[in-house]
Amino acid sequence: TRRSFLKWSGVAAGGTALVASTTNLGMPGSGPKAAAEGLADADKTVWSACTVNCGSRCPLRLQVKDGTVVRVLPDNTGDDSLGSQRVRSCVRGRSIRHRIYNPDRLKKPLRRKAGTKRGDGQWEEISWDEALSEIATKMEGIKEEYGNEAFYINYGTGVLGSTMACSWPPNETAFARLMNTWGGYLDHYGDYSTNQITQAYPYFYGDWVAGNSLDDAENAQLQVMFGNNPLETRMSGGGLTFVTQQTKKASDVRTIIVDPRYSDTTVGIADEWVALRPGTDAALVAGLIHVMLQEDLHDQDFLDTHCVGFDEDHMPDGAPENASYRSYVEGKGTDGTEKTPEWAADITGVPATHIRSLAREIAGAKPCAITQGWGPQRHANGEDASRSIFLLAAVTGNIGKVGGGTGAREGGVGLPIVKTFNTSLTNTDSNKIISSFSWLDAIDHGDQMDTFNAGVLEKPEPGVRAGKVPVDDEGNPTNIKLDVPIKMVWNYGSNSLVNQTGDNNASVEILQDESKAELIVTCDIQMTVSARYSDYVLPGTSTSEENDIHPGENATPMAYGIISSQAIDPLYECRTVFDICGGLAEHLGVSDQYYDGKDREDWLRDAVKATQAEDPDIPDYEDWKEMGLFRKNAGSVISLQEFRDDPEANPLSTPSGKIEIYSDRLARMAEKWTFDDFRPELVGDKLNPLPEYTDTWEGVLDSRESEKYPLQLIGHHYKQRTHSSYGNVDWMQEAHHQTAWINPIDAQERGISNDDDVFLYNDRGTVMIGARVTERIAPGVVSLPQGAWYTPQPSSEITPPPGANPEMPVDTGGNTNTLTSLHPSPLAKGNAVHTAIVQLVKA
């Protein structure tokens, strides 16, 4: 396979890395100079970028010879100082040629063969005119019968880091522009990464609030990171590996990481690892605060002046007696349970003595930088987990301080890129919006979904991340419903039809029912798992085949952006998504509105001009295009500093203007929300006015009491790929194997050794994969890295283990979502895919 791939692509697969490889395979250029500076006889070197959704944007310098990308070089500008650092790409970006010239690369438009099911892999090649004409005709039929609410842009962030080729958020995509010329579409709020925390923010801080940037930790006495793993999730120069390592090196700030897994960040910068059970962060925080209250270690002055709901003296009007957080901790609330360290230890697995010492250390550090990643909130109780970590920052008085933090994900600075093409038309025909995780429900039973049972909300103002709960004149929640199910799904730069969404087998069953979704169109550069389950597959272009602008993220204190230039002609019959949607616009009769007299390059120039109005330091388009990477030192982020200094003059956007530890709005919503309309077998969902600990369905208690499924399953982000992007790249598969992480205690009970093949299974599916036996995962927990490509094998070919569902295929790709649920979290209706229980046995 490797030899035929090399011959087919016309380039050496080893050309990006080792000099020996370039010499052995007969490529021009060798020796140390070639390794550092590239090939001396390349025709050109072009600035490009890796645009996948790791939270970074890294420049790549592509060397081209005879119309082919032959070598990939990193950023050669900047230095090794924070604020002007080089934006070095990680191993994924350096292997990008293996995405451009991949055996899975799409070449021509494809139509699913008549009489076959979605997912059967039976395709016929058709012309672009056939594809666009047929899709447009089907769209017209759907609009006539169901209206524009039946059209949905699927969640997908595979091209998040671009402007013209952007795949998310929906209203910044080319297809959204097309639909906005043609009556609109059903939008979604939130995202798979942050659904729960995004919806938690309004009921605590009023709006999205970042934490202090990680470089500010040099001003802290202590850094505490809950489920935050930047050295693995944002490991490139455009991310936070350099920032965190240099900050630690300069200040030696003591760092504690709270995580079920001993992550790469723990390896790289931590002084202490606190291994807790998944989904129990709110219980740990309650135990910590109990100690602080007993020993008078909390910041009562900050709580009195800046917060509502911590104690009975500072509750909103009309709140029940003993409904404050202090009453909850002291056992005076409705559950009557005191949240002692012993109580927390039983739930979290962290010893009570350790909880006491942690509480004293966190409260005694002045200041303490508290942040959280997005793993803790990706649970069935994730909204309250995230609010509890916010609360810890408030109770210790660290909000708005230099060296402190809000308890949120670290903040970052960026260039204010104005995407004029994407935002100059808006969806004005529909004010309804669903959670990004609810789209399969909206296909299956959309006309039964409303605000109270499924989180159907009002569309927010542009730039606001969370949807708005409709309310009456007195602030009580009111109900709106969807009129029709989703009938067409547009899926661009996304592997979230299947693979990145919960419960792969249930997802496939819904998608294969053509009486539900009548039209599914995928546009991508590869035949992904999701593309298999489509009716039409349209071959898009990679970043190397187009011009674009890429706003950088998370390299704070540096802000930067990249303009990439087309390095090679589009391969095969591939087209840019701008042109594809333009072709659809012509067939639908709205091309004049879609183009607005501008081609792709005109829109890019227009974006730079609009951005210069926001930031006069931005260079002109042609100058920026020549330099490739533009950077500036924008300084650290200190969140809510003005609010801390004067809360009266700088109120938050909450109803009280203060931090709302007790949310009156959530209390009112709890009276209306229902949770068992669609999946009554999963119990434990509830809305809490306080950031309480709730043991939900398939949580700690279920795993303890279940002989059938005694292990909790999580799916950590893995350096082999970004979500599923790069998941089919041979270099990355060779460097980083997909394995199930299991603690030696659990492995010994099952007779499992390192590298043994194992089955993981529950009622939703079965996975067969190799085992990694390691003390880097807490006992009772299994971690199967998320994003591996779902590869179902019929049970007739691989016999599932006793106890597994014999009707389900066995996934040999090791995809976490073969085992997770489509059941959403209670408030955000987000993907609770870190909440699952499984059994693991030797294969």
Side-chain angles (χ1 to χ4, degrees), residues 12 32 63 111 165 187 196 269 285 290 338 405 423 456 474 490 507 524 549 572 594 663 712 754 790:
Q63 290 200 295
R111 176 178 59 209
D187 206 343
Q196 285 89 314
I269 66 169
V285 169
H290 185 280
E338 191 174 356
T423 57
V456 179
E474 296 180 355
W490 170 266
S507 300
D524 214 310
I549 302 172
Y572 316 112
Y594 176 82
S663 171
Q712 289 184 271
N754 207 44
Y790 173 60

Side-chain angles (χ1 to χ4, degrees), residues 54-59 75 79 81-88 213-216 230 234-244 246-247 410-415 551-562 629-637:
C54 64
S56 309
R57 307 288 170 258
C58 288
D75 175 27
D79 55 33
S81 301
L82 277 177
S84 57
Q85 64 261 39
R86 277 174 282 196
V87 187
R88 295 185 181 92
S213 52
L214 288 181
D215 61 300
D216 178 59
R234 293 173 171 176
M235 64 186 186
S236 65
L240 291 165
T241 295
F242 183 80
V243 175
T244 51
Q246 292 301 310
T247 301
E410 66 277 352
V413 292
L415 302 179
E553 295 186 16
N554 298 311
T556 307
M558 185 177 75
Y560 71 99
I562 308 155
L629 175 69
F630 168 75
R631 57 164 62 78
K632 61 185 291 187
N633 190 329
S636 302
V637 173

Side-chain angles (χ1 to χ4, degrees), residues 52 71 278 284 456 551 612 630 654-655 671 719:
V52 299
R71 198 169 180 86
L284 177 61
V456 179
Q612 287 175 324
F630 168 75
T654 58
E671 297 173 359
K719 54 185 171 287

Side-chain angles (χ1 to χ4, degrees), residues 18 24 81 86 122 162 239 247-248 258 274-275 318 357 364 430 466 552 607 613 618-619 715 751 756:
L18 299 176
N24 293 342
S81 301
R86 277 174 282 196
Q122 300 296 308
S162 296
T247 301
K248 176 72 173 179
V258 184
V274 179
S357 64
S430 173
I618 299 294
D756 282 348

Side-chain angles (χ1 to χ4, degrees), residues 192 195-196 375-383 437 502 685 696-698 713-714 764 817 819-826 829-837:
Y192 279 21
N195 254 321
Q196 285 89 314
Q377 58 89 48
R378 211 169 289 122
H379 281 274
N381 57 12
E383 295 92 347
F437 192 62
D685 289 328
T696 63
W697 50 271
E698 297 192 22
L713 174 73
I714 59 173
R764 292 180 288 269
N817 288 321
L819 303 163
T820 63
S821 175
L822 283 173
H823 189 61
S825 65
K829 306 304 177 187
N831 58 329
V833 293
H834 285 337
T835 296
I837 54 175

Side-chain angles (χ1 to χ4, degrees), residues 746-766:
D746 300 312
Q748 186 175 10
E749 289 178 0
R750 294 162 173 78
I752 293 168
S753 300
N754 207 44
D755 294 331
D756 282 348
D757 282 340
V758 296
F759 286 114
L760 288 84
Y761 64 91
N762 58 22
D763 292 342
R764 292 180 288 269
T766 302

Side-chain angles (χ1 to χ4, degrees), residues 604-646:
L604 289 172
R605 289 189 177 89
D606 197 52
V608 171
K609 287 180 182 178
T611 303
Q612 287 175 324
E614 300 288 328
D615 184 348
D617 293 335
I618 299 294
D620 291 337
Y621 177 74
E622 297 299 338
D623 294 337
W624 191 354
K625 190 174 183 180
E626 184 177 351
M627 71 172 65
L629 175 69
F630 168 75
R631 57 164 62 78
K632 61 185 291 187
N633 190 329
S636 302
V637 173
I638 312 297
S639 289
L640 297 185
Q641 194 168 22
E642 293 180 349
F643 168 71
R644 181 188 182 90
D645 292 342
D646 190 342

